[in-house]
Every structure is written in structure tokens, then in C-alpha cells.
Amino acid sequence: MPLPMVHLAVAIRLHEPRGAEPSPAFLLGSIAPDAIHMRPGAGRGEKHGAHLLDRPATGDRDPIAELRAGYREADAALRDFADGYAAHLLTDRLWNVLLERDYKPRLPPDLDPAERRALYYQETDQLDFNLYHRSPWRPRVWALLGQAPPPEFAPLLAAEEIGRWRDRTLAWFEAPEKEPRITPLYLTDAAIHAFIERATDAVVAALADGREAPTTAR
């Protein structure tokens, strides 16, 4: 699945047409589903739960739309957070369709599963660091994220988990030892930028349900 900088890049692109920037709450929501990694002992079931993968869409039910609908009457910050959360989930689903299914068959066939996973995260980590270094909006986004108070988002995540993930994200890219310092061979910067554009279009279409979405900084 895409790493934090890809999700933040989509959040920025969603707001560019109106010359706006995302609210701190929207930015925090856009990385929040992965805060499940901060829960001790969290396994596949918990991760699927936080990403609503345990609630498959049917012909008349869309779990992401239902999540957003539950916050339509909430205060502005919590509503923005839920919209950012939804944008993350939609982006994850598109990543699987557009990138992962094309990427995996191109890996060397003699790699065992552990080696394939390690290579995947080396390459995606490097591409995320490339976005961190080269995105002119990154300093402002870091400042906005730092302002975002983590909400209780029951039953999916606790505020403490969200806050710890935000702090980890802010610190991760500023630790030089975390950067793989490789030239990716199977994923490219161009592929990531093309994905961000397509994901933005798809998320805009999915969120356009009759109310202003996504919301902007206040």
C-alpha cells in the first residue's frame, strides 16, 4: 500500500483546483488508517478493520461512504478527519489495482516471499523519501500536521494511536538512517507521480456526493 508521502501528496492535489490547502484534520485523517501499526499486537484482522476491508462493499452498501455519512453532523475538524480517512482508504484500493498487480510480476522470480517484501519496502520507502525531499509543499504540511489534535475515532482507532502515528511520521523522514539510499529498479518516481494524479481524480469522483468535499483549511 502507499506510504505517508503518497497519501499526503494526494491530499494536497485534492485541494489545488481551489487554490486551497488541506486542513490539519484532513491531513491527519489522510495518514490515520495506518496508525493501527501503533497498536500492540495488531495483526491482519485489526489492520483490515482499520482499513474497512472487513466490510466489503455490496451493491447497495459502501463502507467508505457509510463512514463519511456517520460524521456529516460532526464538528468541522472531525468531519475533515473522516474525509481524509476516506481519501486514504480510496487511495489504498486504487494502489492495489494500478501498481501492486503490475509491480509484483516484474520482480525476479527467484526471490522468496521475504525477499520480495523487503525489496518492495526498500523501493517504496525510497520513493516516499524522494517525495519528502522534492515536494515544495512538504514544510507547510509538516507544520499543519503538527497542529492537528488526534481525535478519538472509535471503534476504528484511539486518539493515542493516531497521535503516535502522526509523531512517528513527522520524525521518520527527518532521520537520515531511515532512507534506503537506493535507485529503485521496479517502481519509478514517474510511476508514483502518475499514480498520485490518477488517485486524485478517483478520490474526487468518489467523494463528490453532494456536499463540499474534501474540505479546506480554516
Side-chain angles (χ1 to χ4, degrees), residues 68 111 146 184:
R68 293 181 66 227
L111 295 181

Side-chain angles (χ1 to χ4, degrees), residues 171-213:
W172 180 268
F173 295 94
E174 297 181 359
E177 70 275 10
K178 302 295 187 184
E179 184 170 358
R181 300 190 183 280
I182 63 168
T183 300
L185 297 176
Y186 303 99
L187 279 174
T188 65
D189 292 304
I192 293 300
H193 286 288
F195 170 78
I196 289 167
E197 291 186 10
R198 293 188 65 180
T200 301
D201 291 342
V203 172
V204 166
L207 296 185
D209 64 352
R211 78 173 190 86
E212 185 183 359

Side-chain angles (χ1 to χ4, degrees), residues 110-145:
D110 56 340
L111 295 181
D112 65 33
E115 290 171 325
R116 291 165 70 91
R117 180 176 175 82
L119 177 58
Y120 172 81
Y121 277 107
Q122 266 199 324
E123 295 212 338
T124 53
D125 270 337
Q126 186 60 60
L127 292 164
D128 233 39
F129 267 97
N130 291 350
L131 283 170
Y132 174 83
H133 292 311
R134 299 169 187 171
S135 299
W137 45 260
R138 197 278 309 164
R140 178 60 178 155
V141 164
W142 251 231
L144 291 170
L145 270 177

Side-chain angles (χ1 to χ4, degrees), residues 8-23 26-27 137 140-141 144 212 214-218:
L8 294 171
V10 171
I12 291 294
R13 290 294 302 274
L14 286 170
H15 294 78
E16 282 181 346
R18 287 173 289 150
E21 64 185 9
S23 68
F26 187 96
L27 289 168
W137 45 260
R140 178 60 178 155
V141 164
L144 291 170
E212 185 183 359
T215 50
T216 60
R218 292 173 174 81

